[in-house]
Structures are given as structure tokens and as C-alpha cells.
Amino acid sequence: MIIILNGEDKQVDSRTNIEQLLNIIGLSDKKLAVEVNEHIVPRSEFSETTLKDSDKVEIVQAIGGGSD
Amino acid sequence: MSFPRPTDLSRLKSCKIVTQFLIATLIYGSTLMSDTNFDSPLVIAGKSYTSRLLVGTGKYKDNAETRLALEASGAEIITIAIRRTNIGQNPGEPNLLDALPLDKYTLLPNTAGCYNVEDAVRTCKLARELLDGHKLVKLEVLGDEKTLFPDTIETLKAAQILVDDGFDVMVYTNDDPLIAKELENIGCVAVMPLAAPIGSGLGIRNPYNILTIVENANVPILVDAGVGTASDSAIAMELGCDGILMNTAIAAAKHPIMMASAMKKAIEGGREAYLAGRMPRKRFASASSPIEGTFF
């Protein structure tokens, strides 16, 4: 199936969960937050949250930034 | 003829300062002590801070420069941005947060780049999840790309939603005293009017509005955006602001680390001058030496 990961199409096996997805893209040990279809998925629910075809997944992190 | 060596000089000088201080303490007692040594701390959302300089972590040459500039600034609160994680393109790219001693700082996730309520609220919620329930956020909802002025209507709406959701909101706004008061009434923990457009370095463009905002406020007022150099910071503090949040003025200086140190001193100096109370302005001169006893 295809999910939309941070705005780009990504082919993954059907029934992939978020924990597996983070492993696949090498981010499992990073400090980040995950949204699926604009709903935040708590870290404790990564392994039980299974993705569906066309799900929009956003993975964000903190970076340097100001305002001014 | 012999000159005192530098060490003797500094000893003499420090002796003199100590003597003066002791005499002054005897005369003025505890008033002097509390005025100069015990400024009340800056309290934001129930937490006390010694430093009144808050800094952003963007626009630096690299993570090492960011780290050193933050150190030189003495800041205890630093802003961060929430952005998409790099997927694949630059997996090994060093992340700022790995390069900083995070336990030393209070992190202030900000909604920089948001132009509507939904994006701003979503960003804050992601920040809360990312930072394990962290409630302190900086809200800015921009209205226009050229000026980066805040969209105050959207800002008010977003502030209400975030406060209702339990966030401690420090809010970026324009220098309008009525909007500033409204944001305080909504329950924001600090109101942060701009001094001039973000990244412009133009300094305090409307000191009387900033003064009115400060005089009306029951929450900390911090100037956010627009300072360009140390004197701008001193002016803001002399007006009675509780602190200043800046990024570009330090990061875009020729020597950012030195500018961070300059800003720290300017803010401390401006704060002390505010507490000390400046002399009244007079149009004509007033001699400092007595006229009596002149022999000429």
C-alpha cells in the first residue's frame, strides 16, 4: 500500500504499524512526534497503530528556530 | 616615580568599591541591598528565571556556534521550531537538540511560520507530544509575509483555544495596548509585543505604546522581535519590560557570541536603570560642582 509520509508517497507493506515504519526509515531511536491524518499518535500507541492505504503520516522533530 | 602595578590597582579599586558599598549600606540599609542585589526574578507560568534574555536557536552558522552564543547570552529559556523530520535525504544530519545541554534550558516551542489558528494549535499539540507533556509554548500567528506582522484576530482565537487546552501561552503580538490586555485577559502567561518587524533590527519603534502595555499589565511583558543591537535592548528594559526574546540580532551579528554577551549586559543594565529610576529630563544645564567657594 502507499502512505503519504511527510508529503511524499511511500510504499509500505499492508498493516505496517508506526513502530515498524520508524524502524524501516531508521528513526526508531529519535525524539519525534507522529500524526496520522492530523491526529497525534502517542508514543505508547506506536506498535498498536496500524496504517491504512492513503494514510497521511507526519513525523516531526524539534529543530533550531526563533521568531526573532 | 613608581606606578602601581595592575594587580595593586585592581586591589585598590576593589577596596574602594567595597568601602563605598559598606558606607552606602550603612546609610541606606536594606533599601539599597534590595534595589541592586535582589531584583525579583522573572516568573513565567510559576517558574522563576534569573535571566531576562530569551533567545531563539535559528540562523546560526552551526550547532557549535549556537551552543556558545546561548552560553554567552546567559539565557535560560530558548525557543525551538517544530518541523518535518528528514526522511532519507539527510539521515545523519546533526540535530540541534542533540548538540545542546538541554537540561540547562527551558524549551519554548514556537509556532513560527503559522498563518492560521489550525496550524498554530496543531504545532503546539505536536510540541507537547514531542516534549512529553510540556505545556509552555510561544504562540505566533502571522498575517503577512512581507512584514511578518501578527494576525491579531487569529492570534486571539488561537490563544483562547490553547489556554482552554491547558497550555501556558507566551504570545507574540503587535504593540497595541488593547490587544495586549485582551491576550492577558484570555489567560496568556506572558505577552510579547514586537519592537519592530521580525528580523528587521530596527529597534523600539513605538516606545510609548510599549510603555502603555507595560503599565497596564499584570503578566510579564517581553519585547519579542525587532531589536538590532545592545542599546535597543537597554531601551526596552528601561521602559519597564520584563525581558526580551531575540534571535536575529545575535545570530546575524558579525560576531554572534560577542553580541550575545553584549545583549546580556545591556538587558541587565537597562533593568537596573529602570529599577534605579532615571533623573528627570531638563532642557538646560545644571552644574554638578558647587558655585560657592570658587576662588576665581
Side-chain angles (χ1 to χ4, degrees):
Chain A
M1 64 178 184
I2 292 196
I3 59 167
I4 298 125
L5 177 60
N6 284 4
E8 286 176 24
D9 289 358
K10 168 98 182 157
Q11 175 85 45
V12 292
D13 294 341
S14 58
R15 299 202 53 75
T16 299
N17 67 41
I18 293 178
E19 190 176 271
Q20 291 164 335
L21 175 68
L22 292 176
N23 267 322
I24 293 166
I25 56 181
L27 292 175
S28 48
D29 56 342
K30 301 282 183 199
K31 200 158 176 63
L32 34 78
V34 178
E35 262 185 0
V36 178
N37 302 326
E38 299 200 11
H39 289 285
I40 291 173
V41 181
R43 209 165 298 145
S44 56
E45 295 172 18
F46 281 180
S47 60
E48 62 206 55
T49 304
T50 308
L51 297 168
K52 301 184 304 296
D53 191 46
S54 306
D55 271 351
K56 282 186 187 153
V57 181
E58 290 288 339
I59 303 177
V60 301
Q61 64 175 8
I63 61 160
S67 49
D68 181 61
Chain B
M1 196 158 116
S2 79
F3 291 97
R5 284 169 297 145
T7 45
D8 293 339
L9 258 180
S10 70
R11 200 174 304 138
L12 269 176
K13 214 172 146 190
S14 67
C15 261
K16 201 176 155 199
I17 290 169
V18 168
T19 314
Q20 281 175 347
F21 182 77
L22 286 176
I23 293 168
T25 309
L26 281 174
I27 296 170
Y28 299 111
S30 59
T31 316
L32 181 109
M33 295 289 285
S34 64
D35 278 1
T36 57
N37 288 355
F38 300 108
D39 181 12
S40 50
L42 171 63
V43 179
I44 297 173
K47 193 169 171 191
S48 295
Y49 301 93
T50 313
S51 169
R52 292 174 180 274
L53 172 56
L54 290 68
V55 296
T57 53
K59 298 187 183 177
Y60 288 93
K61 192 177 69 192
D62 51 36
N63 287 344
E65 188 182 76
T66 314
R67 184 172 53 78
L68 293 171
L70 295 192
E71 224 169 270
S73 76
E76 295 166 287
I77 302 178
I78 61 172
T79 68
I80 52 168
I82 308 296
R83 291 291 181 268
R84 278 177 170 165
T85 304
N86 257 324
I87 311 283
Q89 304 94 321
N90 302 299
E93 195 178 39
N95 182 351
L96 173 76
L97 297 192
D98 298 331
L100 292 178
L102 291 183
D103 47 330
K104 270 175 65 180
Y105 299 106
T106 294
L107 295 182
L108 182 60
N110 81 77
T111 64
C114 292
Y115 283 82
N116 58 57
V117 175
E118 294 72 28
D119 291 349
V121 171
R122 191 176 164 199
T123 301
C124 290
K125 287 182 174 173
L126 280 167
R128 183 167 62 184
E129 174 60 25
L130 185 67
L131 301 174
D132 306 314
H134 179 98
K135 291 196 315 187
L136 187 69
V137 290
K138 186 201 144 178
L139 170 66
E140 66 177 62
V141 187
L142 302 172
D144 169 55
E145 278 181 31
K146 185 173 176 186
T147 60
L148 295 181
F149 280 147
D151 181 329
T152 48
I153 299 164
E154 295 281 290
T155 302
L156 288 164
K157 288 185 205 159
Q160 186 73 64
I161 293 170
L162 291 169
V163 168
D164 289 347
D165 197 3
F167 283 96
D168 293 327
V169 181
M170 301 177 71
V171 60
Y172 165 68
T173 183
N174 61 16
D175 56 11
D176 179 338
L178 300 180
I179 299 291
K181 194 65 191 173
E182 189 54 32
L183 288 163
E184 177 187 325
N185 291 340
I186 283 174
C188 294
V189 296
V191 176
M192 307 199 289
L194 53 79
I198 291 173
S200 70
L202 287 173
I204 317 288
R205 294 294 82 206
N206 203 343
Y208 295 101
N209 273 26
I210 299 288
L211 185 61
T212 307
I213 291 171
V214 167
E215 285 171 350
N216 289 345
N218 296 309
V219 293
I221 301 296
L222 295 93
V223 157
D224 178 6
V227 299
T229 188
S231 53
D232 297 333
S233 295
I235 289 170
M237 296 309 290
E238 286 168 13
L239 288 169
C241 289
D242 296 281
I244 305 182
L245 169 53
M246 68 180 76
N247 192 154
T248 313
I250 295 174
K254 272 188 198 157
H255 300 288
I257 299 159
M258 198 185 290
M259 185 57 90
S261 162
M263 289 297 189
K264 175 180 191 274
K265 291 168 187 155
I267 287 174
E268 287 168 359
R271 176 68 183 175
E272 282 191 20
Y274 167 72
L275 294 172
R278 60 155 297 140
M279 62 165 282
R281 288 181 173 82
K282 286 177 284 197
R283 187 164 164 214
F284 293 110
S286 158
S288 298
S289 304
I291 305 297
E292 264 176 51
T294 45
F295 52 88
F296 38 77

